Amino acid sequence: METVSADDLHYGRNGENVLMKVIGISAYFHDSSAALVIDGEVVAAAQEERFTRLKHDSGLPVQAVRFCLEYGGLTIDEIDHIVFYEKPLQRFERLLVTHLSEFPKGSAQFVNSMGRWLSKRLWMKNEWIRELGCRADQILCSEHHLSHAAAAFLHSPYDRAAIITADGVGEWVTTSIYRGVTDSSGSRIEKLQELVFPHSIGLLYAAITAYLGFEVNEGEYKVMGLAAYGTPRYLDKFEEICTVNDDASLVLDMNYFSYNWHAKNAFTPALEALLGPARKPDSKLTLPALTDDDRRFSDIAASLQKFTESYMLKLVQHAHEITGEKNLTLAGGVALNCVANLKLLGEGPFESIYVQSAAGDAGGALGAALYMTHVIGGIPRRPALNHAFLGAPIEKWEVARFFSDCGVPFRRFDTTTDMCRAVADCLMAGEVGGWVQGRFEHGPRALGARSIIADPRQPDMRERVNRKIKFREEFRPFAPACLAEDMKRWFVLPEGRVEYMTPFMCCVANVSEEGKKMLPAITHVDGTARVQRVEAAHNPVFHELLTLFKEQSGVGVLLNTSLNLKDEPICNSHGEAFATFMRSEMDFLVIENCLVRKEDCQWLSRDEYPS
Ligand SMILES: [Fe+2]
């Protein structure tokens, strides 16, 4: 496997005037993704799960690559470079070294994982040639954290910035500090400091997520939601087993953790001796806590969250000291901790912070492509990407034909304003609906392209959406989408620092006193909300809906959650959106300019729409 270097570059070698076309790929861990960058323009980016319907699909993103090529009007032959987001041999080396150093512990898991590597992963190039139809000379590899850093910096609004990447683990690295610079000589990303496996804030969070009975790489959001119900009375225990040094490096006491040698069990009996018995995954959790155990679990979640926030603040302060930069970009799974991000905004030393919409591994594909383009290829950077709508679109004519073919009565609107007015009427009547517009979002958040929307003023709306539509844990909060011009009325955020965080729902905000009274369905138990700021320039149709809803309600805010059912990926196509609508108790569904109502579909059997 080759490494990305200037020698690999064949773009323009003969002086020909051609565009540089790069595909980035992340795969084989979770949230596989592909991205297409043409001469620095991010043309398309999507997670494989949106096409395969397998949540967090970790396979080679064959369908996502196919989508990117089709959207860009290219064949795989026309792509200059296909860049993998990490170095497989270094990851393999970590597995070998860590397992052998712990031998004979975890030897059964070791044999299993070796089987996967020896039969497939080590021969990744062959799979790519076979499945994608590419050539060997197109394939290159970046580094995991460098891909995160590139994704964070190269389409940020900054010419120079400190970059922090923090996740579970890449090849070896778990946390990094970089400096990114773009000037007249090009773009550079310089590594200043790194922390390596097994010491990792992301793996600490994952291990406690497992301890609390939630699925790793899925349940971290639940732990964040649960934390708001507890008090951090176990913080001293976390400080006992996790040492933070002056240079913001973290040392975990590995007597309490087993993720370095066991593929399934992340923690040891010593952790249960310290914190009490772990929660059984299927056990009922009642909140606000009615039992001692539920209180303990929410307190442990609160303690973990508090420790994470303190650690990230220390890391950010250290990055500021060693870089002297004014701006910060964040990436890696830990950058999706929107509660910690508020603390970094409010108490951190940086003047401005940017977190991209797909800060986790899905964004690594984009970062790999951007690094190849701008740093290796020397292509000038484009303006900051101010939206996340990089997925597949839906054609208006397809929607009308689909409903006609299904025999479903629907209303088709001539103008966007008429459609938004009809949807606002539905919302004012207390209805909950699906909202599908344009290209789907890149990243884990629904930002008004594939959303479920409802009136946030109704006290029972949160419970109703949870019990009848999303079928998920009651303690998880719902997020609001808010007109950009009304943000200050409803939400309290650090002055002047939030411009680049709120469009992608990357940080929570404190709900204003008026908001707490008026918007009960989106106000979490701790008085916060993970707000999305909706700009007319970047999200015009959703902005118009909010405006028309405000005309009737006085409130330019909607409850906005992703268009999916529990344990399913967010919808991609109009067919998936309709199937989700039929399998839930949503009242209406609008796709582009067509609106269907559940009352008109009662004659259709739900059995026709299996999950
Ligand atoms: Fe990562």
Side-chain angles (χ1 to χ4, degrees), residues 144 148 167 361:
H144 191 107
H148 277 316
D167 61 6
D361 275 10

Side-chain angles (χ1 to χ4, degrees), residues 29-30 85-86 91 144-145 148 166-170 331-333 359-362 364:
F29 188 45
H30 58 88
Y85 81 139
E86 64 178 20
R91 185 180 274 268
H144 191 107
H145 276 248
H148 277 316
D167 61 6
V169 60
D361 275 10

Side-chain angles (χ1 to χ4, degrees), residues 20 90 271 465 595:
M20 186 182 200
Q90 288 189 12
L271 190 75
V465 175
L595 175 74

